[in-house]
């Protein structure tokens, strides 16, 4: 089944920010568009707002004046649902309440033809449950756009339990014809993006709650070492703490309070206090006029070590050896069967974050994972209270000699980037194994939906098949609640990778 013909009228019900955005996408693609809102006058106001945005597109030379005029002529507010009778697609973007959405679609089903494609833009409710109220549930799908819909390319095309594949294909092809990048997924809590992305927020909050580091430092490490566009604290301030927490709670409840999706108590307190982020003026950060942004913790300059001894190849951090040599520091290499560390002149060890804590070992400083150690501008270190000050100074001086800012955090297992990436990889493998989406669609969704620097499956391949599983195994030993227990899918992936590499 192909995309809807451009002559086919498309309706959008609900004229908030998302509804207007979806209507604009369909309109610019070439469809006649009907706007409906239950509140009197809202549809007309929305049409005027869309018209104003079309004017701005002309000013930016993204539309011609003739294209704008033609689009305006195709846009029509509807005073009653009955005016949507000839539409071939109706997209709903109303209140996130199951009963409200079910009532709307039952009413629509009495108005539109039986082959009209019905779609919900829900981000947190079950597509299956909404469609379960329909007489013909096979033509019901989820079309989850991301805000702002005219700008963000991703659309999750969600098939409910009763969705007919022909209608899912029509929705997919229509989204693609509108210039979007659709990904197909099954109806699971959070779909792809909101399911796989939970650890990005949860692990940052967990490090904060354990007194490992402050929000500004955690955000800086996620950006400058992890390669993420924004840190978890600044991003949730932008999204709205109430909105982000609501999605987290929805996914957690829908998975029967699975500990992997447990909400943050610190975020709950923030919401309870009315500190919702940018929209309220305060969240994790103070966004009021004149407020100063807190600086991340950055270590004072330290003397570089004269040499380091490399035991093993450092695994995902192996590129550090070339950087150390380029900085004029001697690297003495020793073959060690189990060695993946640097030994500093004072005898202390520098080890890539592996899910364990420094307190478990004698004189060890951990350093965090980086997306690209050459490009990273900041690296986090952690150590136990009894770690030698000489070792901490030598480790700090080493990374400063490589041109990196250094943030020293508490002795947190898995640190910041490593634990976050390991958990994201785990949930991605789990989603693929359970038929939520393909590997390619998961990677596409996470890159386009939340701007991750790499898709999680691509990241998994780059880090090595067993890396995430090993980190989570160690974290699970530190916290046996089940939050960090690797999924069966990740265990299988790690084992298969070992088999391919000839290890046991």
């Amino acid at each position: 089944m192909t995309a809807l013909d451009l002559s086919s009228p498309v309706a959008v019900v609900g004229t908030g920010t998302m509804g207007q955005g979806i209507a604009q996408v369909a309109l610019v693609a070439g469809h006649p568009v009907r706007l409906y809102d239950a509140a009197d006058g809202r549809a007309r106001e929305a049409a005027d707002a869309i018209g104003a945005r079309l004017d701005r597109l002309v000013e930016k030379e993204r539309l011609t004046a003739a294209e704008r005029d033609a689009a305006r002529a195709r846009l029509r507010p509807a005073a009653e649902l009955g005016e949507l009778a000839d539409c071939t697609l109706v997209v709903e973007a109303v209140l996130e309440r199951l009963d409200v959405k079910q009532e709307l679609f039952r009413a629509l089903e009495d108005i539109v033809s039986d082959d009209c494609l019905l779609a919900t833009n829900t981000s947190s409710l079950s597509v299956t449950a909404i469609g379960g109220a329909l007489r013909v549930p096979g033509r019901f799908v989820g079309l989850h756009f991301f805000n702002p819909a005219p700008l963000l390319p991703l659309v999750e095309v969600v098939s409910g339990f009763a969705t007919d594949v022909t209608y899912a294909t029509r929705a997919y092809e229509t989204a693609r014809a509108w210039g979007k990048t659709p990904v197909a997924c099954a109806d699971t809590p959070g779909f792809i993006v909101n399911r796989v992305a939970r650890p990005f927020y949860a692990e940052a909050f967990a490090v904060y709650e354990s007194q490992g580091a402050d929000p500004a430092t955690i955000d800086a490490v996620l950006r400058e070492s992890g390669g993420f566009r924004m840190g978890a604290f600044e991003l949730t301030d932008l999204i709205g703490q109430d909105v982000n927490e609501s999605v987290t709670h929805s996914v957690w409840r829908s998975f029967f309070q699975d500990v992997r999706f447990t909400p943050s108590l610190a975020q709950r307190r923030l919401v309870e206090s009315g500190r919702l982020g940018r929209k309220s003026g305060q969240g994790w950060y103070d966004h009021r006029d004149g407020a100063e942004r807190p600086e991340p913790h950055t270590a004072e300059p330290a003397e570089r070590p004269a040499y380091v001894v490399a035991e093993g190849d450092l695994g995902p951090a192996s590129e550090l050896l070339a950087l150390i040599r380029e900085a004029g520091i001697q690297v003495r290499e020793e073959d060690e069967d189990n060695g993946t560390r640097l030994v500093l002149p004072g005898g202390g060890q520098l080890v890539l974050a592996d899910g364990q804590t420094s307190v478990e070992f004698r004189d060890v400083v951990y350093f965090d994972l980086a997306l690209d150690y050459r490009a990273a501008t900041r690296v986090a270190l952690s150590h136990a209270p009894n770690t030698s000050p000489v070792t901490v100074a030598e480790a700090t001086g080493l990374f400063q000699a490589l041109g990196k800012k250094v943030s020293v955090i508490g002795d947190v297992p898995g640190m910041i980037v490593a634990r976050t990436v390991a958990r994201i990889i785990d949930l991605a493998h789990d989603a693929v194994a359970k038929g939520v989406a393909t590997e390619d669609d998961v990677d596409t969704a996470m890159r386009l939906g939340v701007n991750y620097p790499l898709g999680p499956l691509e990241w998994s391949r780059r880090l090595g098949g067993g890396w995430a599983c090993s980190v989570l195994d160690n974290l699970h030993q530190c916290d046996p609640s089940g939050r960090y227990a690797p999924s069966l899918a990740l265990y299988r992936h790690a084992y298969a990778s070992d088999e391919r590499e000839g290890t046991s």
Side-chain angles (χ1 to χ4, degrees):
M1 187 175 283
T2 58
L4 295 174
D5 188 271
L6 289 180
S7 64
S8 304
V10 171
V12 177
V13 179
T15 58
T17 301
M18 183 58 78
Q20 290 182 32
I22 296 169
Q24 181 179 328
V25 170
L27 192 65
V28 171
H31 288 273
V33 173
R34 313 277 169 73
L35 283 172
Y36 175 79
D37 197 292
D40 289 342
R42 288 279 179 83
R44 168 55 60 188
E45 292 173 4
D48 291 342
I50 293 170
R53 283 198 289 273
L54 296 178
D55 288 339
R56 289 195 290 273
L57 290 178
V58 172
E59 293 170 4
K60 295 176 181 178
E61 299 184 348
R62 296 177 185 172
L63 277 183
T64 66
E67 289 170 334
R68 174 200 60 196
D69 294 343
R72 279 179 164 170
R74 294 193 301 270
L75 181 60
R76 193 179 91 195
E80 298 179 354
L81 274 180
E83 296 178 46
L84 313 184
D86 63 338
C87 291
T88 54
L89 166 62
V90 181
V91 184
E92 161 273 315
V94 301
L95 189 66
E96 282 286 272
R97 275 180 43 187
L98 179 61
D99 59 335
V100 172
K101 293 180 187 291
Q102 287 179 329
E103 182 180 354
L104 169 64
F105 282 111
R106 278 194 294 261
L108 283 168
E109 203 169 32
D110 292 335
I111 294 167
V112 300
S113 64
D114 281 356
D115 65 348
C116 174
L117 180 61
L118 299 178
T120 174
N121 183 59
T122 185
S123 62
S124 61
L125 299 177
S126 164
V127 171
T128 300
I130 300 170
L134 299 180
R135 174 172 46 82
V136 187
R139 42 88 172 265
F140 187 75
V141 300
L143 276 179
H144 182 216
F145 289 77
F146 288 73
N147 193 33
L151 297 180
L152 295 186
L154 184 69
V155 178
E156 291 178 317
V157 181
V158 186
S159 293
F161 188 78
T163 301
D164 190 305
V165 66
T166 56
Y167 285 97
T169 302
R170 177 185 288 177
Y172 184 97
E173 294 300 334
T174 297
R176 185 158 64 177
W178 290 358
K180 296 301 180 182
T181 303
V183 292
C185 65
D187 183 23
T188 184
F191 310 142
I192 300 173
V193 172
N194 280 329
R195 171 180 176 147
V196 177
R198 293 347 291 164
F200 179 73
Y201 313 108
E203 293 313 307
F205 298 161
V207 172
Y208 168 76
E209 289 174 333
S210 68
Q211 302 291 296
D214 61 280
T217 300
I218 295 168
D219 278 353
V221 172
L222 286 169
R223 288 193 315 269
E224 300 174 42
S225 185
F228 293 96
R229 186 75 60 85
M230 298 179 74
F233 296 90
E234 57 190 343
L235 180 55
T236 53
D237 265 3
L238 178 64
I239 294 169
Q241 298 301 332
D242 53 339
V243 174
N244 181 261
E245 193 208 26
S246 176
V247 173
T248 298
H249 268 270
S250 176
V251 173
W252 176 62
R253 288 192 302 268
S254 297
F255 276 115
F256 308 106
Q257 301 185 3
D258 187 330
V259 69
R260 295 177 301 166
F261 302 101
T262 300
S264 161
L265 181 59
Q267 188 180 38
R268 175 92 290 264
R269 294 292 180 258
L270 207 64
V271 173
E272 289 174 338
S273 70
R275 298 188 175 194
L276 307 181
R278 288 182 180 273
K279 62 186 177 183
S280 69
Q282 286 182 286
W284 296 111
Y285 298 105
D286 190 341
H287 301 280
R288 292 171 297 182
D289 291 343
E292 292 187 10
R293 180 70 176 262
E295 293 293 324
H297 169 75
T298 302
E300 294 295 324
E303 187 174 345
R304 66 169 59 196
Y307 69 90
V308 295
V309 178
E311 296 184 351
D313 63 4
L314 299 187
S318 58
E319 64 183 318
L320 278 176
L321 298 181
L323 297 179
I324 294 170
R325 290 190 178 98
E326 290 169 17
I329 298 173
Q330 182 184 6
V331 177
R332 304 172 185 172
E333 296 191 56
E334 294 184 1
D335 291 332
E336 292 284 339
D337 289 341
N338 297 313
T340 54
R341 57 186 170 265
L342 295 174
V343 180
L344 299 163
Q349 299 177 29
L350 190 56
V351 180
L352 175 62
D354 59 5
Q356 299 180 92
T357 62
S358 295
V359 75
E360 299 173 60
F361 305 97
R362 179 181 174 276
D363 213 14
V364 165
V365 171
Y366 275 107
F367 65 95
D368 208 351
L369 180 70
L371 172 70
D372 179 341
Y373 282 99
R374 184 174 294 277
T377 58
R378 182 180 300 271
V379 172
L381 303 180
S382 70
H383 63 87
N386 62 348
T387 301
S388 165
V390 171
T391 299
V392 177
E394 288 179 339
T396 301
L398 174 64
F399 280 104
Q400 288 174 339
L402 306 186
K404 316 301 180 187
K405 295 177 181 178
V406 174
S407 291
V408 181
I409 69 170
D411 190 18
V412 180
M415 301 191 68
I416 298 170
V417 180
R419 69 194 286 164
T420 300
V421 172
R423 287 209 59 216
I424 290 170
I425 287 172
D426 182 45
L427 291 188
H429 278 289
D430 185 54
V432 171
K434 290 178 178 174
V436 173
T438 65
E439 286 193 10
D440 285 346
D441 277 355
V442 169
D443 277 354
T444 297
M446 302 312 293
R447 283 189 293 101
L448 298 184
V450 278
N451 288 312
Y452 282 7
L454 290 175
L457 284 312
E458 182 185 0
W459 222 332
S460 177
R461 290 188 291 272
R462 177 185 287 196
L463 292 169
W467 178 84
C469 190
S470 176
V471 170
L472 292 178
D473 257 336
N474 288 332
L475 278 163
H476 182 56
Q477 295 301 313
C478 296
D479 176 4
S481 66
R483 177 187 179 107
Y484 299 103
S487 66
L488 179 59
L490 190 63
Y491 266 125
R492 286 172 170 162
H493 176 74
Y495 183 79
S497 298
D498 286 345
E499 288 287 292
R500 288 193 296 270
E501 295 166 8
T503 59
S504 60

